[in-house]
Amino acid sequence: MTRSVVLGCGSYLPQNVVTNDDLARRVDTSDDWIQQRTGIRERRIAGSHETTSTMGLEAARRALDAAGVKPADIDLVLLATSTPDNTFPATAVTIQAELGIEQGMAFDLQAVCSGFVFALANADSLLRTGQATRALVIGSETFSRIIDWDDRTTCVLFADGAGAVVVEAQQGTGAMTDRGILASKLRADGRHRTKLYVDGGPSTTGTVGHLRMEGREVFKHAVSMVTDVIEDVFAATGYGAQDIDWFVPHQANRRIIDASAKKLGIAEEKVVITVDRHGNTSAASIPLALDVAVRDGRIKKGDLVLLEAMGGGFTWGASLVRW
Ligand code: UT7
C-alpha cells in the first residue's frame, strides 16, 4: 500500500514584528485584551518586498533542504492560500518556476484557515493514486493585505508567514505503524459562509476586499466541529487521544486550542502552540507550527502527529500523520 511520507519541513516569517502595544497605538485595544481573549502577544507582518509567493518559495526551499530533495524531483506543487499574488495564475506556478521545476503539476487550493489540512489530504490522494510521486505542500498567506486595519475585532488576530512540507509516495505495509499520512477527514458547510469572508472579489466587486468576521459565531462552532472531525480520524485509524505524541492545531485562538484539547483528553504538554508569536496565519499556521516543533526537537521520526483546522466557509478537517 502506498503511503505519503513527510520527508522534511520548512518555514518563513517576515522580519517585521508587530506587538499588541503597537496595535494599541492604532486602534482601541490593549495588550491585556488581546492576550486574554486570544493568547497572541505578537505577530509578523510582511514588508512591501514580501508576497505570498516570495514567502512560500523560501519556506519551500527550506523544506527541500531539510528533506534532502532537489526541485527536479518534485512533480506536485500544491499551495494553500487565500491571499494569492494575483487572481490568476495560481501562485503555486510562480513558486514552481522560481524553483526551476518544469515537470508535474502546480496549483492553488483555497479553504481559508483549513487550507493546509485540505492541501495535505489532496496531495496524499494524488500520491496514493500514482498521479504524482513527490509533493511540495505549502501554506503561505499575506493576510495583512486583506485586513481592515481600522477594525479592532479582526486586525489584532491575523498575520503573515509561510510553511511547507515535502511528501513522498513510499511503499507501506498498510498497517497503522507505517510512516506517513494515516487518515484525513475534510468537511465544509457553506451555510456559514457569511460568518467569515472577504467583502470583495473578481466576479463581484472587482476589488480585493477586506476580511469580515463574526468572531463570536466562529468561536461558537469551532470546538465542536474540530473535535467531531478528529473523532472521525480516530475511528478511521483505531487511535485515540492517549496515543497522540503531538497535537498541532491551527493557531487561531489559544482558548479554542485549549478547549479542543481538553474535550478530546489530549494532555497539555503534547499541544504545540505558536499563536502567541505568530498570530493567526490562516493556511500557513500548521506548517509553521510543525516546523517550529521539528526544529526544536519535539517532533521526531515515528511520532504520531495530529493536525486540525477550522476556518471560513466553514471548512474544517483533521489529519493523523506518523512522522
Ligand atoms: O481561523 C479561524 C478564524 N477565526 C477564529 O478562530 C476566531 C474565532 N473567534 C475568536 O477568536 C473570538 O471570538 C475573538 C477573539 C474574535 C473575540 O473574543 P470574544 O471573547 O468572542 O469577544 P467578543 O467578540 O464577544 O467581544 C467582547 C467585547 C466586545 O465589546 P462589548 O460589546 O462587550 O462592549 C467587543 O467590542 O470585546 C470588544 N472587542 C475588543 N476590545 C478590545 C472586540 N475586539 C476588541 C479588541 N480590543 N481588539
Side-chain angles (χ1 to χ4, degrees), residues 28-30 33-34 37-38 113 152-153 156-158 196 213 215-216 218-219 250 252-253 255-256 280 310-311:
D28 181 15
T29 190
S30 66
W33 191 95
I34 301 170
R37 303 283 175 137
T38 72
C113 296
R152 70 172 182 172
T153 68
V156 302
L157 305 173
F158 295 93
L196 174 48
M213 179 171 74
R216 231 174 290 187
V218 181
F219 198 101
H250 168 50
N253 184 315
R255 284 151 66 210
I256 296 174
N280 181 349
M310 181 264 184

Side-chain angles (χ1 to χ4, degrees), residues 15-321:
Q15 279 207 325
N16 179 29
V17 178
V18 175
T19 65
N20 293 343
D21 285 334
D22 292 334
L23 292 174
R25 282 189 277 277
R26 187 182 174 118
V27 291
D28 181 15
T29 190
S30 66
D31 180 43
D32 258 9
W33 191 95
I34 301 170
Q35 285 212 43
Q36 272 179 25
R37 303 283 175 137
T38 72
I40 300 169
R41 289 189 286 126
E42 59 182 43
R43 76 282 293 138
R44 303 295 183 99
I45 299 297
S48 54
H49 60 292
E50 287 164 318
T51 65
T52 294
S53 67
T54 66
M55 294 190 296
L57 175 63
E58 196 48 42
R61 283 197 175 120
R62 292 173 186 180
L64 287 167
D65 266 2
V69 168
K70 293 186 192 64
D73 296 325
I74 296 291
D75 54 6
L76 167 62
V77 179
L78 182 39
L79 171 68
T81 190
S82 301
T83 47
D85 286 8
N86 296 88
T87 302
F88 78 78
T91 304
V93 302
T94 301
I95 296 173
Q96 181 202 32
E98 292 291 332
L99 287 170
I101 300 171
E102 294 175 2
Q103 69 285 343
M105 62 189 122
F107 61 97
D108 290 358
L109 183 152
Q110 210 262 60
V112 203
C113 296
S114 311
F116 185 77
V117 173
F118 273 61
L120 195 65
N122 276 275
D124 180 37
S125 295
L126 290 166
L127 292 173
R128 282 190 295 109
T129 53
Q131 295 179 75
T133 54
R134 228 164 275 107
L136 252 174
V137 183
I138 308 163
S140 183
E141 300 279 19
T142 323
F143 261 52
S144 60
R145 308 252 155 86
I146 56 165
I147 288 299
D148 174 353
W149 286 99
D150 294 322
D151 176 7
R152 70 172 182 172
T153 68
T154 53
C155 76
V156 302
L157 305 173
F158 295 93
D160 304 332
V165 295
V166 177
V167 190
E168 179 182 70
Q170 291 185 1
Q171 265 324 105
T173 63
M176 289 298 150
T177 47
D178 283 348
R179 286 185 68 209
I181 299 167
L182 302 178
S184 300
K185 298 286 174 185
L186 308 177
R187 306 269 182 270
D189 186 347
R191 288 174 299 175
H192 298 290
R193 67 194 178 282
T194 58
K195 289 171 185 151
L196 174 48
Y197 71 105
V198 169
D199 63 5
S203 81
T204 50
T205 59
T207 63
V208 172
H210 288 115
L211 184 150
R212 306 291 173 206
M213 179 171 74
E214 293 174 42
R216 231 174 290 187
E217 280 295 309
V218 181
F219 198 101
K220 203 171 82 187
H221 290 87
V223 177
S224 60
M225 285 179 163
V226 155
T227 51
D228 277 1
V229 80
I230 289 172
E231 296 291 358
D232 284 354
V233 164
F234 284 159
T237 56
Y239 285 122
Q242 68 286 349
D243 303 309
I244 300 306
D245 293 302
W246 299 106
F247 179 41
V248 186
H250 168 50
Q251 308 283 319
N253 184 315
R254 180 73 201 245
R255 284 151 66 210
I256 296 174
I257 295 172
D258 290 348
S260 305
K262 192 168 172 210
K263 192 171 169 197
L264 290 159
I266 297 173
E268 212 178 316
E269 60 273 16
K270 293 182 175 178
V271 186
V272 176
I273 302 282
T274 51
V275 69
D276 54 333
R277 285 163 290 151
H278 298 174
N280 181 349
T281 58
S282 189
S285 95
I286 291 176
L288 269 163
L290 278 171
D291 196 40
V292 166
V294 167
R295 283 173 200 266
D296 70 17
R298 274 179 289 175
I299 297 179
K300 291 185 280 301
K301 204 170 168 178
D303 282 355
L304 204 50
V305 182
L306 175 63
L307 315 177
E308 64 81 359
M310 181 264 184
F314 293 150
T315 55
W316 66 107
S319 189
L320 193 58
V321 183

